[in-house]
Amino acid sequence: AVLIEKYLTSPRHIELQVFADHHGNVVHLFERDCSVQRRHQKVLEEAPAPHLTQERREAMGAAAIAAARAVNYVGAGTVEFIVADDAGGFFFMEMNTRLQVEHPVTEMITGIDLVEWQLRVAAGEPLPRSAATITMRGHAIEARIYAENPDAGFLPDTGRLQHLAVPAASQVVRVDTGVVVGDTISPYYDPMIAKLIVWGETRANALARLARALSEYRIVGVANNIEFLRRLITTHSFANAKLDTRLIEREATALNAPNDTPE
């Protein structure tokens, strides 16, 4: 037997947030585009996915719900798809049986606390809302702040956080982190320092807020990807939502600009 798989030259990575309870209810809370990646790891995530037609959104949502029902799933889950161009369809990749790192962008566009939903479902309650009442508003983008050196193949860095200044949190800017000044980034755990999430009425508004928030972020003590992210979101591909998993490689010239180390 020979197994032949379709090879997609410019795939997008789009995932659906699903939730199911003990009473047979299953819903999806729309999609997240996680196409911008380095070393097969996500760097930027956004919701909703740009340029996704309502027809395809509904088809992917139905497929995600069907996948959850097929295994009698309960709780929060993420059904991930590889997506071709408009004519090429979408393909199941995997299901992560948990909340993902990027779940805050879903919370920002739906106004739903997904952790609260997990607790309610675990307690045996039905889902707090039906599919018909779940709507999305605006656009949200998340940037992963890492202790890593983008100029050295994104190698992780370790050390003490000597100075840390984050953008002011608000209803439209959110910083999820577990470290403070004086903490040490060790080699024993993931080098993520924080998740920076912004919301805007439109993608352009969210992008402008993200640029400003990144300009206000200050980290001293470890190599980090702040400047890389600032360059990344201004590339032609990302600014115009021409997204696929090879975006970073495609924009290498713009992204490899030397860092100006402040005195």
Side-chain angles (χ1 to χ4, degrees):
V2 177
L3 175 65
I4 301 177
E5 295 185 342
K6 183 185 290 291
Y7 180 77
L8 305 180
T9 56
S10 300
R12 294 173 69 182
H13 183 155
I14 298 178
E15 61 190 29
L16 272 288
Q17 177 71 64
V18 295
F19 242 101
D21 61 23
H22 292 278
H23 307 276
N25 302 306
V26 186
V27 299
H28 76 81
L29 295 95
F30 309 110
E31 78 282 351
R32 299 185 288 259
D33 194 308
C34 308
S35 300
V36 184
Q37 303 177 8
R38 53 93 175 102
R39 300 199 309 181
H40 305 293
Q41 295 294 318
K42 301 165 186 174
V43 178
L44 296 169
E45 301 100 355
E46 55 184 305
H51 309 313
L52 191 70
T53 65
Q54 185 60 28
E55 180 182 12
R56 175 163 287 190
R57 175 174 290 115
E58 291 175 359
M60 293 179 70
I65 288 175
R69 288 193 183 280
V71 293
N72 299 315
Y73 191 74
V74 173
T78 309
V79 182
E80 307 200 10
F81 296 97
I82 291 294
V83 182
D85 57 29
D86 290 341
F90 59 92
F91 307 89
F92 175 81
M93 183 168 61
E94 64 178 349
M95 180 176 183
N96 279 302
T97 55
R98 54 180 169 80
L99 282 183
Q100 299 274 78
V101 171
E102 57 274 19
H103 81 271
V105 294
T106 298
E107 294 187 330
M108 294 286 260
I109 66 165
T110 61
I112 293 173
D113 185 332
L114 299 183
V115 176
E116 178 185 344
W117 274 36
Q118 279 193 312
L119 296 172
R120 291 187 179 279
V121 167
E125 296 182 19
L127 293 177
R129 290 166 62 176
S130 65
T133 66
I134 301 172
T135 59
M136 61 178 169
R137 175 175 171 266
H139 199 94
I141 307 175
E142 175 179 301
R144 300 189 183 197
I145 311 298
Y146 277 102
E148 65 182 16
N149 187 348
D151 298 327
F154 300 99
L155 288 177
D157 196 25
T158 60
R160 181 175 173 273
L161 294 170
Q162 300 174 20
H163 175 72
L164 186 63
V166 302
S170 67
Q171 289 186 327
V172 295
V173 177
R174 169 176 167 177
V175 180
D176 288 6
T177 186
V179 296
V180 296
V181 173
D183 283 351
T184 297
I185 304 297
S186 79
Y188 306 111
Y189 302 97
D190 188 280
M192 188 187 299
I193 295 173
K195 301 183 294 184
L196 172 62
I197 310 101
V198 299
W199 179 91
E201 290 282 355
T202 64
R203 186 178 191 269
N205 295 149
L207 199 52
R209 284 201 173 109
L210 180 58
R212 178 172 180 175
L214 286 169
S215 73
E216 296 172 352
Y217 225 114
R218 298 287 186 273
I219 300 172
V220 177
V222 293
N224 61 81
N225 65 338
I226 296 290
E227 289 303 316
F228 174 81
L229 290 169
R230 293 181 66 181
R231 294 197 298 269
L232 178 58
I233 65 173
T234 61
T235 60
H236 180 269
S237 294
F238 190 78
N240 292 280
K242 296 180 178 179
L243 309 176
D244 63 71
T245 57
R246 294 182 58 81
L247 185 149
I248 288 178
E249 291 89 340
R250 192 172 64 249
E251 293 282 2
T253 300
L255 294 173
N256 289 337
N259 287 321
D260 294 326
T261 304
E263 295 181 3

